[in-house]
C-alpha cells in the first residue's frame, strides 16, 4: 500500500503560485485550517480559490485573502469578510459569484465527467450573462459548465490510512464533491484510524480520491 | 404595538402546515421558527447540509461542527440527517422544500425578486438565495414594508434580480400581499394602518381582496 | 408527527393501472420483494417500470414481468431474464435501454430539479438517436433528460419511524436516487427503529422523502 | 498450451500497476484478478456500488446484500466503501477508474467497440459498458481472437457501437495489439502462432511493431 500520510510541509509542497485550489468548508466549518495556515506560511501567490464563501476574518480562506495570496475567488457568498470587498475595490482581487447550488453542481460535474448541467437557477439574472440558455418543454435553463482544480484541500473528521473519509455534521458540505474534482486531494483530518475502522457503508469519500493525509487538524476553537 | 419583526414572523408562521419542510433565511425569517405550534412536526432545512435544524444551543454547549447557513451555532432535532452541498441543493432545486422565507430589497408586481446585490454598494453574493426561490414550492418574502419610507414593493425591480416570477406572498408589518397572475392582491391588513397608507407605502399597483381580513398581531 | 408506517395493502393502494414506478435494486439486490409480491397479488396492469435491470426469473421486477403487468420497462440491462426478450418478440413489452450511468444521472436530475445533464456516454451510438448533441470545447455530449415517476418502491435495511433510511452494502444502488424522484415513495424495510437510532451523519435517504414505511422485508433467501 | 482464457487474463494482469483502480467486466475479464502480484494494492470497483471488491466467498458464507455487477455473491476487502449508483458512475465517467477490462463482439482499426447487441439475436442491454469505456483512463479488450474463425478485429465494426475511439489495447490468445493514432500495432505475439496466422485471423490492417516481443503465457 502506498503511504499517504505526510507532514504538512510535504503535503503542500506541490502547490505553487497560480495553482487552482478548491477549499472545502462553509463559513470555515469544514475547512482544513492547518492547510490554510501552512499556505500562509509558505506565502505562495496568485492563487485561484474555489470555495463556497469568503469565510470571516481569521478563519478558513479569509487567512489567504488577508495575506494577499488570492488572485481570483470563485464563491457564492463573500458578505461576512469585509476584506474581500476592500480588495475588490482596490482591484487586487477578482471575485466570481456563483449561486451555491450551481457551484455544488458544477464541482460535481467536474468530478463525475459530465459536460455540464442544466439548471433553472439564475435564469433572467446577471448570472445568465454569457451563458447558453436551453429551453426544454417551455422552461428555460442555464447550461452550467464543470469546475475542476489542481488541488482540493479537504477537512476530514475521521480518516483511515487508505484515505477513506468520514465528515462530522455540517463539516461535510463541499468536501466530498471537491475530493472528486481535483488532480491532487489533500485531507487534513482530526482523527486518523486504521483501515477498516470506518464502516464501509458510511465512508463519505472513498480512499481512491485521497492522495495525501495530514493529521493534526483540531476542532475549531471558538 | 408588538415588535414589528416579531409580528411579521408570527404571521408568516401561520403559513406553515404540519409536516412541511421549511428553509428560513437569515435575520427576520429565522424568527418564524419561534411561532410554530408545539404539536406541529416541521422539518427545517439548513442549506449548508442538513434537515432537522433545531434551536440555538445554550451558551457553552456549542458544537463547533454544527452551524446553520448564517454561520451561527445551532442544534439538531431527533431524526435529523446530514448530507453534502450537492444533495442539499438537490433537495432545494428539486422542489422538496415546501416553503422558503426570505427577506428582500425589492419585490415587484410580477413576483420578481431582488435581494442579493446593490451594485457599487453591497456585493455579498447570492449564497443559496437564487436556488431557494427557484426551487421551493412556496416563496414568502418577510420584510418591513419600506426601507425607512423608501418603496420596496415596486412596479418593476430596479436592482438586479435574484429570480423572475418566484414570489408567492409578501408579509410586512402593514399586511399580507399575495402575488397572483393578475397582480398583487392585499389579502390582510394590519388594523393600525389604512388601505390608503398601504397604497402610499407601495409603488406597485395593489388590488384589495374582496375578502380582506385583519392581520393577526 | 404523521404516521408513515402502513400495511402492505394500504401502502400500495394508490398504485393503479398505468402507474409509472421506479423500483430500486440491482439484479434484485436492493429490490423490495414484498412490494413486488403485493403488486403481483393486486394484479394491476400496464405499468411503466424504471429499474436498473430486468432481474432474473422469480426475483424483483421479473415477478411483475412474468405476470404480464408491465407495458414498458426502462432499464440498462435485461439479459439475465429470458422472459423479457420473449415478451418483446411477441410485442407485449416495450423495452427502452439506457446506459446505466445515464439512467442513474437522469433519475438524479429528476429528483434534484436539473433540466438535464450532458454526458459523453452514448455519443455516436444508437443511444444518441433523437437526442440533442452539444459540443463543448470540441467534445461531444448527449443532452440527457430527467426521469421522474409516480411511485418509487425502495428497499431499506434500517428505517426509523420518520422515514430516515440506511441501506446495507450493495443494496443501496438506485434506491436513494429514486427516493428523490417520485411523487410517492414507499419503503419496504428489514428493520424499523426508533427515531434517533440511525446516526444523523449516516442517514442515506432523509425521512422527508419517504411517504410510507412497510415493515417485514426479509433478507433474500438464496 | 495453458487454458486460453487464463493465458489472456494473465497477460492483461501485467497491465495493472500498484495502486490502480480497476473495473473488470463479467466472464473472462473477471479472471484477471487471479493474477495480481500479492504485494500490489489494486482496488477493484464493482459498478453496482462499491470499491474494494474481494474474491468469491466460501460456499455457505454468502452475504445476500453483497453482489457484484454480474449478480454473483462476493466479498469486500478491508478499506472498501459503498455508494449509490450515481456516485458509482460518477467515479467511472469522471476518469477515476484507471483500467477497465471488457470482452468484445467486435473491435476495429479506430478503436471503436461493439460489445452489447446483436440486432435480432441478442439484446441484453449495455448495462454499464458504455459508461465504462468512455470513462476509464485505459480500456483493455480481453477476448479470443476470433469467434470460431470469424473475424472480430475488423476494419470497421458492423454491429452497433458501444462507443467510438475508446479501445487502447486488445489482448487475445494470439498476441497483444495496441490501438494507436496510426492504427493497430501488434506489439506481442504468442510463439505458438506466426505473424501470418495473426494477420489471417484479423480483418483489420495490423502493423507489426519493430519491437515485437514474445507474449508471456
Amino acid at each position: 500500500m502506498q503511504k499517504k500520510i505526510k507532514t504538512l510541509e510535504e503535503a503542500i509542497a506541490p502547490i505553487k503560485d497560480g495553482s487552482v485550489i478548491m477549499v472545502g468548508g462553509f463559513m470555515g466549518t469544514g475547512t482544513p485550517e492547518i492547510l490554510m495556515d501552512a499556505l500562509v506560511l509558505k506565502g505562495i501567490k496568485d492563487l485561484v480559490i474555489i470555495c463556497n464563501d469568503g469565510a470571516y476574518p481569521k478563519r478558513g480562506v479569509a487567512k489567504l485573502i488577508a495575506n494577499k495570496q488570492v488572485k481570483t475567488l470563485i464563491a457564492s457568498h463573500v458578505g461576512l469578510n469585509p476584506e474581500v470587498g476592500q480588495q475588490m475595490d482596490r482591484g487586487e482581487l477578482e471575485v466570481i459569484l456563483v449561486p451555491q447550488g450551481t457551484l455544488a453542481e458544477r464541482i460535481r460535474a467536474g468530478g463525475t465527467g459530465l459536460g455540464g448541467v442544466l439548471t433553472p437557477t439564475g435564469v433572467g439574472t446577471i448570472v445568465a450573462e454569457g451563458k447558453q440558455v436551453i429551453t426544454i418543454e417551455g422552461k428555460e435553463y442555464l447550461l452550467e459548465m464543470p469546475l475542476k482544480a489542481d488541488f482540493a484541500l479537504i477537512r476530514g473528521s475521521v480518516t483511515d490510512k487508505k484515505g477513506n473519509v468520514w465528515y462530522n455534521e455540517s463539516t461535510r458540505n463541499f468536501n466530498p464533491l471537491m475530493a472528486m474534482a481535483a488532480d491532487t486531494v489533500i485531507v487534513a483530518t482530526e482523527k486518523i484510524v486504521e483501515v477498516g475502522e470506518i464502516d464501509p457503508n458510511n465512508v463519505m469519500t472513498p480512499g481512491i480520491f485521497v492522495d495525501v493525509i495530514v493529521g493534526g487538524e483540531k476542532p475549531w476553537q471558538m | 404595538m408588538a415588535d414589528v419583526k416579531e409580528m411579521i414572523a408570527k404571521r408568516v408562521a401561520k403559513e406553515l402546515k404540519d409536516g412541511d419542510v421549511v428553509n428560513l433565511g437569515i435575520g427576520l425569517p429565522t424568527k418564524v421558527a419561534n411561532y410554530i405550534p408545539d404539536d406541529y412536526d416541521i422539518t427545517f432545512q439548513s442549506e449548508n447540509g442538513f434537515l432537522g435544524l433545531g434551536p440555538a444551543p445554550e451558551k457553552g454547549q456549542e458544537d463547533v461542527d454544527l452551524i446553520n447557513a448564517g454561520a451561527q451555532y445551532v442544534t439538531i432535532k431527533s431524526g435529523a440527517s446530514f448530507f453534502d452541498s450537492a444533495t442539499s441543493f438537490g433537495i432545494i432545486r428539486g422542489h422538496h422544500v415546501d416553503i422558503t422565507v426570505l427577506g428582500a430589497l425589492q419585490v415587484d408586481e410580477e413576483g420578481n425578486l431582488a435581494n442579493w446585490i446593490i451594485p457599487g454598494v453591497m456585493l455579498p453574493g447570492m449564497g443559496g438565495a437564487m436556488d431557494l426561490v427557484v426551487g421551493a414550492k412556496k416563496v414568502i418574502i418577510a420584510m418591513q414594508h419600506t426601507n425607512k419610507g423608501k418603496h420596496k414593493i415596486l412596479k418593476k425591480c430596479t436592482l438586479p434580480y435574484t429570480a423572475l416570477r418566484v414570489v408567492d406572498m409578501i408579509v410586512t408589518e402593514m399586511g399580507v400581499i399575495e402575488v397572483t397572475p393578475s397582480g398583487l392582491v392585499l389579502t390582510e391588513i394590519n388594523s393600525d394602518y389604512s388601505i390608503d397608507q398601504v397604497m402610499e407605502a407601495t409603488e406597485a399597483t395593489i388590488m384589495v381582496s374582496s375578502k380582506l381580513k385583519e392581520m393577526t398581531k
Side-chain angles (χ1 to χ4, degrees), chain A residues 118-188:
Chain A
L118 303 188
T119 177
T121 304
V123 169
T125 75
I126 295 176
V127 168
E129 284 173 14
K131 286 177 190 156
Q132 197 172 338
V133 177
I134 295 184
T135 303
I136 294 173
E137 292 170 7
K139 187 167 171 178
E140 291 187 336
Y141 297 91
L142 299 186
L143 172 56
E144 293 281 2
M145 310 282 280
L147 275 173
K148 298 199 73 171
D150 301 321
F151 298 91
L153 307 185
I154 299 302
R155 185 190 195 280
S157 301
V158 181
T159 305
D160 76 21
K161 291 178 177 174
K162 264 200 145 174
N164 290 306
V165 188
W166 186 89
Y167 308 97
N168 190 46
E169 298 176 338
S170 66
T171 66
R172 190 177 335 179
N173 54 68
F174 283 82
N175 281 302
L177 307 172
M178 291 174 169
M180 295 182 75
D183 293 339
T184 300
V185 176
I186 305 171
V187 175

Side-chain angles (χ1 to χ4, degrees), chain A residues 76 78 88 100-101 121 168-170, chain B residues 63 65 67 85 123-124 127 131:
Chain A
S76 77
V78 296
M88 283 171 72
Q100 201 168 132
T121 304
N168 190 46
E169 298 176 338
S170 66
Chain B
D63 173 348
D65 283 351
I67 62 165
S85 297
L123 184 79
D131 297 283

Side-chain angles (χ1 to χ4, degrees), chain B residues 3-216:
Chain B
D3 176 84
V4 160
K5 290 182 182 177
E6 297 295 337
M7 192 194 90
I8 295 171
K10 197 171 159 188
R11 174 59 190 85
V12 171
K14 287 182 182 291
E15 295 298 312
L16 277 52
K17 296 184 302 298
D18 189 21
D20 273 354
V21 178
V22 177
N23 186 301
L24 301 177
I26 299 166
L28 194 167
T30 305
K31 297 178 187 290
V32 171
N34 302 331
Y35 297 100
I36 310 295
D38 282 344
D39 59 335
Y40 272 26
D41 182 34
I42 302 279
T43 303
F44 290 103
Q45 194 218 20
S46 193
E47 70 262 27
N48 53 319
F50 55 106
L51 284 158
L53 175 65
E58 300 285 320
K59 204 166 161 58
Q61 298 298 306
E62 295 88 351
D63 173 348
V64 294
D65 283 351
L66 186 50
I67 62 165
N68 66 9
Q72 297 161 315
Y73 292 110
V74 292
T75 58
I76 52 167
K77 292 187 174 172
S78 178
S81 53
F82 291 95
F83 30 76
D84 65 37
S85 297
T87 302
S88 190
F89 281 88
I91 291 170
I92 290 167
R93 206 191 306 101
H95 308 305
H96 305 294
V97 170
D98 295 298
I99 297 184
T100 189
V101 185
L102 292 165
L105 296 167
Q106 300 178 336
V107 190
D108 71 23
E109 291 181 4
E110 288 190 308
N112 300 324
L113 172 67
N115 76 343
W116 73 282
I117 182 175
I118 306 175
V121 176
M122 186 194 81
L123 184 79
M126 67 293 280
M130 285 192 180
D131 297 283
L132 275 162
V133 295
V134 163
K137 287 184 199 159
K138 182 169 185 173
V139 175
I140 301 175
I141 297 303
M143 64 175 191
Q144 291 186 260
H145 205 96
T146 65
N147 180 8
K148 295 162 192 161
K150 214 176 147 195
H151 288 153
K152 296 171 72 177
I153 305 174
L154 307 177
K155 287 193 177 303
K156 196 170 165 56
C157 292
T158 58
L159 292 170
Y161 293 123
T162 304
L164 305 183
R165 290 177 292 282
V166 291
V167 176
D168 295 292
M169 178 181 273
I170 307 162
V171 179
T172 76
E173 76 282 9
M174 298 186 115
V176 177
I177 296 166
E178 290 184 24
V179 184
T180 75
S182 34
L184 304 183
V185 179
L186 184 71
T187 55
E188 294 179 28
I189 189 165
N190 178 344
S191 58
D192 294 342
Y193 300 96
S194 67
I195 290 180
D196 279 354
Q197 281 175 306
V198 175
M199 296 295 186
E200 204 166 306
T202 310
E203 186 204 84
T205 303
I206 298 190
M207 292 169 277
V208 178
S209 171
S210 57
K211 296 171 188 159
L212 183 69
K213 286 190 294 194
E214 189 174 321
M215 184 184 186
T216 49

Side-chain angles (χ1 to χ4, degrees), chain A residues 5-218:
Chain A
I5 300 176
K6 299 198 174 162
T7 65
L8 256 180
E9 206 174 43
E10 289 165 349
I12 66 161
I15 308 181
K16 306 285 180 206
D17 287 356
S19 286
V20 178
I21 309 175
M22 290 179 177
V23 180
F26 187 106
M27 293 306 299
T29 299
T31 298
E33 296 288 353
I34 59 172
L35 296 178
M36 297 299 102
D37 295 336
L39 286 179
V40 167
L41 208 66
K42 188 171 176 176
I44 47 171
K45 304 234 180 282
D46 296 328
L47 302 175
V48 176
I49 299 290
I50 301 169
C51 184
N52 175 64
D53 51 66
Y56 52 84
K58 299 187 179 170
R59 180 94 200 247
V61 296
K63 296 172 183 172
L64 301 175
I65 295 166
N67 200 35
K68 310 266 178 88
Q69 294 177 263
V70 183
K71 183 181 63 178
T72 304
L73 175 64
I74 301 175
S76 77
H77 197 273
V78 296
L80 297 188
N81 181 354
E83 179 76 18
V84 172
Q86 290 158 19
Q87 289 191 20
M88 283 171 72
D89 289 345
R90 292 196 299 265
E92 294 167 0
L93 174 66
E94 176 192 28
V95 173
I96 300 172
L97 290 169
V98 180
Q100 201 168 132
T102 299
L103 185 63
E105 214 53 46
R106 290 180 63 188
I107 294 167
R108 182 180 181 276
T112 61
L114 297 174
V117 297
L118 303 188
T119 177
T121 304
V123 169
T125 75
I126 295 176
V127 168
E129 284 173 14
K131 286 177 190 156
Q132 197 172 338
V133 177
I134 295 184
T135 303
I136 294 173
E137 292 170 7
K139 187 167 171 178
E140 291 187 336
Y141 297 91
L142 299 186
L143 172 56
E144 293 281 2
M145 310 282 280
L147 275 173
K148 298 199 73 171
D150 301 321
F151 298 91
L153 307 185
I154 299 302
R155 185 190 195 280
S157 301
V158 181
T159 305
D160 76 21
K161 291 178 177 174
K162 264 200 145 174
N164 290 306
V165 188
W166 186 89
Y167 308 97
N168 190 46
E169 298 176 338
S170 66
T171 66
R172 190 177 335 179
N173 54 68
F174 283 82
N175 281 302
L177 307 172
M178 291 174 169
M180 295 182 75
D183 293 339
T184 300
V185 176
I186 305 171
V187 175
T189 187
E190 285 197 39
K191 212 170 151 185
I192 298 180
V193 299
E194 294 301 321
V195 177
E197 286 192 45
I198 305 176
D199 179 343
N201 285 296
N202 300 334
V203 167
M204 296 172 184
T205 289
I208 62 160
F209 291 109
V210 173
D211 299 288
V212 179
I213 303 165
V214 182
E217 181 70 24
K218 296 275 184 295

